[in-house]
Amino acid sequence: MSGRPEVLFPLFAAADTLKGVGPKIAQNLQQIGLETPRDLLFLLPYSVLDRRRRSTIRGLELPGIATVEVTIGSHRPARNKGGAYRINVTDQEEEFQLVFFHGRSRYLEAQCPEGSRRLVSGKLELFDGMAQMVHPDHMLPLAEAEDIPEFEPVYPLTHGVTQKTMTKAVQSALTRLPDLSEWIDPALCSREGWPSWREALQQAHVPQGQEDLDPEASPRARLAYDELFAHQVTLALARQQERQRKGRASLATGHLQSRVLSALPYRPTGAQARAIEEISADMARDIRMNRLLQGDVGAGKTLVAFMALLVAVEAGGQGVMMAPTGILAQQHLEGLKPLAEDAGVVLEVLTGRDKGTERRKKLDALARGDIQILVGTHAVFQQDVAFKDLRLAVVDEQHRFGVRQRMELAEKGQGADVLVMTATPIPRSLALAQYGDMEVSVLDEKPPGRKPVKTAVVATERMQEVVEHLRGAIEEGRQCYWVCPLVGESEVMDLTAAEERFNHLRAALGEGQVGLVHGQMPPAEKDAAMEAFVSGKTKVLVATTVIEVGVNVPNASIMVIERAEIFGLAQLHQLRGRVGRGSAQSTCLLLYQPPLSEGGRRRLEVLRETEDGFRISETDLQMRGAGDVIGTAQSGLPKFRIADLEKQAPLMALAQSDARALLAKDPDLTSERGQAVRVLLWLMKQDQAIRLISVG
């Protein structure tokens, strides 16, 4: 399979080979990513205009689209330059006007001679008691009336391309549809009642009403499935290739794990125990582990990850835990230190800050195997970092990692197992889109002793009461986070806002009680301010959102979030998770500036009602769409043209099981259906998958 199958050539020709598309228009189409007939075919109409004929406009709800046969009456040319040219017309029962701005009399008189019959179609509006159709979309002699479809598809446009041109180009692309062999499991096709690929495209481009635009409509569902299926085949191929690479069997003896478990003041939750078991079983096999550990705020991922790292050490090897930033690596280190002491293993940290002899020493110890568990940033990827026997890499993902980076990481340790952690509960459909090549363990219980956080929604004008409430809490010895919003486009403005709040609280609560951290501070000052808060020297920490990840201060039991309405749901949920870590009852106050938008109100309500991160992320997905939830800018999330991850989540799960089942039966895609799937991969531009097959 060296190159694109010939049957697809017509779909991958240049756009200017289509009817009505010249070089100029081809260039404009390119602006919105439409370069070939294939791209136009996957650009489905987003709306449909009902152009069914009526005998009269009487009884039509205005404004509305009307398509009606009329007799042309008198012409009234514009009185002044730029005025309106009007033509009176009558249908079977009513009289109305066609209106043209900058209308040229000569042209209009030739088009619509008085007394002639025409079919007109366009938007009808009431103006000064008279029904008017301004610039009709269609105005044809009856002989050409057939040219107006009963339902006209409406396409997304770009500068310099009209609906007419777009429709013509798409119609021209439809004439090139090849007959392709079916790649969907025939049983699934008949169960869902889906048309063939070719029929699905033909039907999707001639919607017969609003309901045909629904993602559930059979042609659209089929085309969405093709897209999701191609994506899942790619992930399944990557997974298959991973699994062919020999892993290392790392057998847990339990002698280190039992030390940690007996030192814990509580028993692990059922979910934690299950995850530890799944991971240990994976590590014991000689196939490389590729697993995702997904847990809500405070669900105890650290313990699970540490237990996995101990399996590597018990088996005589080393483990590494990677974080996206130095601050996070530092926090993982603090979280793991007490556990490492209980287990009696050597734990070190390596970040970009390590220089010179200090760094050299660590690298030597690592190569000798004296460091058993390393915590670090991407610095552990560098050439000169060598492990004696790396068995497990734990990646704290924070969404900075795509499939490709996961593959690179695995190269570092010959056959090392990979465990990816994510603290953002992701709805199942998105998890499958982004991590479809992985097995998944979910932590969906809170460890014992975690009290629910009370959440209240308060308008900014009650700021004074909030400050009074804080004063009381501080007197009882409690601590508080006060998060300032990122207000401006510029960090300078955010800084001013944070400094103002800091000064205001300092004046109200006393000089030494309040600390400040923000993104512009030198690292050493930031660390000092955090340190003062962690040790309890300062009671209130005013911060921009730098604290949302990782910080652990059990004594902090109040979280105030200013202008909560401008934060995303997932972010608010993460921030709230910073309190409720100790034994005291914790509170989260969401301060908002009225009036709230509909979306803002719904977001704050969801937070008040639930602490379930998965429910919150489902709501976030419905409200903002997939790209925002994961932060598309740096996510590994693919861009789907037709499939709608919010509304078609069940299709994604179906596509995953279908793709895996197919590859289990036909790993090289050589069967008849396998060959059809190869064509699909080319059609969907799944380059990564194509590389994997051609190599295999």
Side-chain angles (χ1 to χ4, degrees):
M1 175 162 179
S2 48
R4 184 181 292 132
E6 214 164 303
V7 66
L8 296 178
F9 287 0
L11 298 183
F12 282 87
D16 58 17
T17 57
L18 293 168
K19 271 199 186 118
V21 180
K24 185 88 188 84
I25 285 176
Q27 223 174 351
N28 292 338
L29 288 173
Q30 217 169 352
Q31 297 301 309
I32 51 171
L34 305 174
E35 298 179 355
T36 59
R38 167 222 177 260
D39 299 338
L40 282 157
L41 290 171
F42 290 138
L43 180 80
L44 298 188
Y46 67 89
S47 164
V48 61
L49 301 175
D50 183 345
R51 298 214 188 263
R52 282 175 295 184
R53 320 281 184 264
R54 317 172 56 93
S55 56
T56 174
I57 63 166
R58 180 169 291 174
L60 181 72
E61 261 187 56
L62 297 186
I65 295 236
T67 306
V68 61
E69 209 176 295
V70 295
T71 304
I72 304 287
S74 59
H75 286 238
R76 291 174 34 208
R79 289 203 199 86
N80 49 14
K81 201 169 185 266
Y85 185 112
R86 300 170 190 278
I87 304 179
N88 292 321
V89 298
T90 47
D91 63 25
Q92 292 183 9
E93 304 179 33
E94 288 284 341
E95 185 171 351
F96 61 99
Q97 288 182 335
L98 306 181
V99 180
F100 302 87
F101 291 97
H102 307 296
R104 303 201 309 282
S105 316
R106 232 167 159 176
Y107 170 76
L108 290 168
E109 277 162 14
Q111 284 295 308
C112 306
E114 204 170 320
S116 64
R117 308 268 298 155
R118 291 285 180 269
L119 184 68
V120 295
S121 182
K123 191 174 175 190
L124 206 64
E125 300 178 82
L126 218 51
F127 191 73
D128 283 349
M130 180 66 161
Q132 299 189 339
M133 191 181 286
V134 178
H135 292 278
D137 302 324
H138 300 275
M139 189 167 64
L140 300 169
L142 301 188
E144 294 166 30
E146 285 311 297
D147 288 3
I148 304 181
E150 291 207 330
F151 293 95
E152 188 172 11
V154 183
Y155 292 99
L157 298 178
T158 176
H159 161 77
V161 181
T162 61
Q163 275 303 336
K164 213 170 186 169
T165 308
M166 196 64 108
T167 309
K168 201 177 195 170
V170 171
Q171 291 303 330
S172 165
L174 283 167
T175 61
R176 303 194 179 180
L177 283 180
D179 256 328
L180 301 178
S181 309
E182 185 54 81
W183 46 74
I184 297 180
D185 178 20
L188 174 62
C189 251
S190 62
R191 189 182 86 213
E192 297 289 336
W194 285 338
S196 73
W197 175 73
R198 188 177 170 171
E199 290 163 349
L201 274 171
Q202 284 164 336
Q203 291 163 21
H205 285 286
V206 286
Q208 297 299 302
Q210 220 43 51
E211 60 286 352
D212 285 359
L213 302 174
D214 196 295
E216 305 299 310
S218 156
R220 285 200 173 217
R222 145 92 216 213
L223 293 168
Y225 186 78
D226 290 337
E227 208 168 15
L228 300 175
F229 181 58
H231 173 64
Q232 286 298 336
V233 169
T234 301
L235 290 176
L237 280 165
R239 171 173 177 260
Q240 172 178 293
Q241 197 190 29
E242 274 295 291
R243 301 190 133 203
Q244 284 164 358
R245 293 193 188 155
K246 275 306 224 207
R248 310 268 310 275
S250 298
L251 289 168
T253 60
H255 73 277
L256 296 174
Q257 290 188 341
S258 55
R259 286 187 206 168
V260 174
L261 291 172
S262 58
L264 288 177
Y266 55 84
R267 303 229 346 252
T269 63
Q272 283 176 312
R274 195 174 56 237
I276 292 169
E277 216 164 288
E278 289 169 343
I279 292 166
S280 303
D282 273 4
M283 290 178 71
R285 291 197 198 99
D286 63 357
I287 297 170
R288 300 249 309 251
M289 171 170 82
N290 194 16
R291 186 171 279 278
L292 175 71
L293 176 63
Q294 203 185 353
D296 204 344
V297 177
K301 285 184 298 293
T302 308
L303 177 68
V304 175
F306 189 68
M307 287 304 199
L309 289 163
L310 287 183
V311 173
V313 179
E314 288 177 354
Q318 295 164 297
V320 61
M321 184 164 192
M322 285 185 41
T325 65
I327 284 189
L328 272 173
Q330 217 41 55
Q331 297 209 325
H332 279 313
L333 182 71
E334 278 147 33
L336 297 177
K337 239 189 211 140
L339 298 172
E341 276 160 21
D342 295 333
V345 298
V346 182
L347 178 75
E348 256 306 349
V349 65
L350 181 70
T351 65
R353 287 191 192 175
D354 289 305
K355 299 274 187 283
T357 44
E358 185 59 20
R359 181 178 152 92
R360 200 53 277 149
K361 271 209 231 78
K362 284 185 185 178
L363 294 183
D364 292 343
L366 199 60
R368 285 196 307 271
D370 294 350
I371 295 173
Q372 292 160 299
I373 296 176
L374 182 68
V375 176
T377 54
H378 289 99
V380 306
F381 263 159
Q382 286 161 350
Q383 284 298 298
D384 60 348
V385 180
F387 291 82
K388 182 179 181 200
D389 179 8
L390 177 62
R391 302 242 173 175
L392 171 68
V394 179
V395 182
D396 182 2
E397 169 137 61
Q398 303 289 334
H399 305 310
R400 306 291 196 282
F401 253 64
V403 180
R404 195 158 294 140
Q405 284 94 331
R406 291 203 289 272
M407 287 181 158
E408 276 168 23
L409 169 71
E411 307 283 286
K412 189 86 185 169
Q414 282 58 48
D417 290 321
V418 177
L419 178 67
V420 175
M421 298 199 301
T422 167
T424 318
I426 305 174
R428 178 124 196 270
S429 58
L430 290 190
L432 287 176
Q434 203 179 4
Y435 304 107
D437 57 325
M438 309 183 83
E439 309 307 322
V440 182
S441 296
V442 178
L443 298 180
D444 47 11
E445 302 167 48
K446 287 261 169 38
R450 273 221 158 207
K451 295 189 177 160
V453 178
K454 277 197 193 139
T455 302
V457 177
V458 186
T460 352
E461 42 253 37
R462 293 173 50 199
M463 180 85 73
Q464 224 23 61
E465 286 172 52
V466 174
V467 176
E468 284 311 309
H469 172 75
L470 276 192
R471 178 174 291 127
I474 290 173
E475 278 161 14
E476 290 168 21
R478 301 197 310 179
Q479 288 174 280
C480 160
Y481 292 103
W482 188 297
V483 177
C484 294
L486 296 170
V487 271
E489 286 305 297
S490 78
E491 290 181 342
V492 179
M493 280 164 69
D494 298 333
L495 191 57
T496 338
E499 281 173 343
E500 268 173 28
R501 181 61 60 231
F502 169 63
N503 291 329
H504 164 205
L505 291 173
R506 226 166 35 163
L509 303 170
E511 279 293 316
Q513 302 277 21
V514 189
L516 170 69
V517 279
H518 57 74
Q520 301 297 84
M521 275 181 168
E525 270 178 50
K526 202 183 287 182
D527 294 348
M530 290 298 297
E531 193 38 56
F533 185 63
V534 172
S535 64
K537 220 166 69 195
T538 52
K539 301 294 184 245
V540 178
L541 183 64
V542 175
T544 50
T545 50
V546 290
I547 62 156
E548 73 180 290
V549 274
V551 193
N552 195 4
V553 182
N555 190 40
S557 59
I558 301 171
M559 167 66 73
V560 179
I561 304 174
E562 220 177 311
R563 296 293 309 276
E565 77 279 7
I566 61 181
F567 287 90
L569 257 176
Q571 207 179 15
L572 289 168
H573 176 62
Q574 292 283 342
L575 285 167
R576 174 170 65 183
R578 297 291 118 224
V579 295
R581 292 170 167 247
S583 48
Q585 166 64 59
S586 296
T587 324
C588 175
L589 298 175
L590 303 171
L591 297 182
Y592 69 92
Q593 194 167 315
L596 272 181
S597 69
E598 183 52 36
R601 206 199 59 199
R602 235 182 93 192
R603 281 207 295 274
L604 300 184
E605 270 173 11
V606 170
L607 279 164
R608 197 168 52 195
E609 285 162 18
T610 179
E611 277 199 78
D612 175 350
F614 286 93
R615 221 193 103 194
I616 288 170
S617 75
E618 292 285 356
T619 312
D620 208 8
L621 179 61
Q622 288 155 13
M623 291 182 66
R624 294 193 304 163
D628 291 331
V629 174
I630 292 199
T632 314
Q634 17 64 321
S635 83
L637 200 67
K639 305 233 187 312
F640 295 119
R641 284 195 166 203
I642 295 172
D644 177 330
L645 285 179
E646 290 90 281
K647 304 195 179 76
Q648 297 175 309
L651 283 183
M652 183 59 108
L654 205 57
Q656 187 193 44
S657 56
D658 192 9
R660 287 186 174 188
L662 169 70
L663 283 173
K665 282 206 298 268
D666 178 13
D668 302 326
L669 298 181
T670 47
S671 67
E672 207 173 315
R673 184 173 167 217
Q675 297 285 354
V677 170
R678 287 171 171 249
V679 173
L680 168 71
L681 293 172
W682 279 102
L683 178 67
M684 294 300 183
K685 300 185 177 171
Q686 290 290 336
D687 307 351
Q688 201 185 345
I690 290 162
R691 274 204 308 279
L692 289 173
I693 316 171
S694 29
V695 171

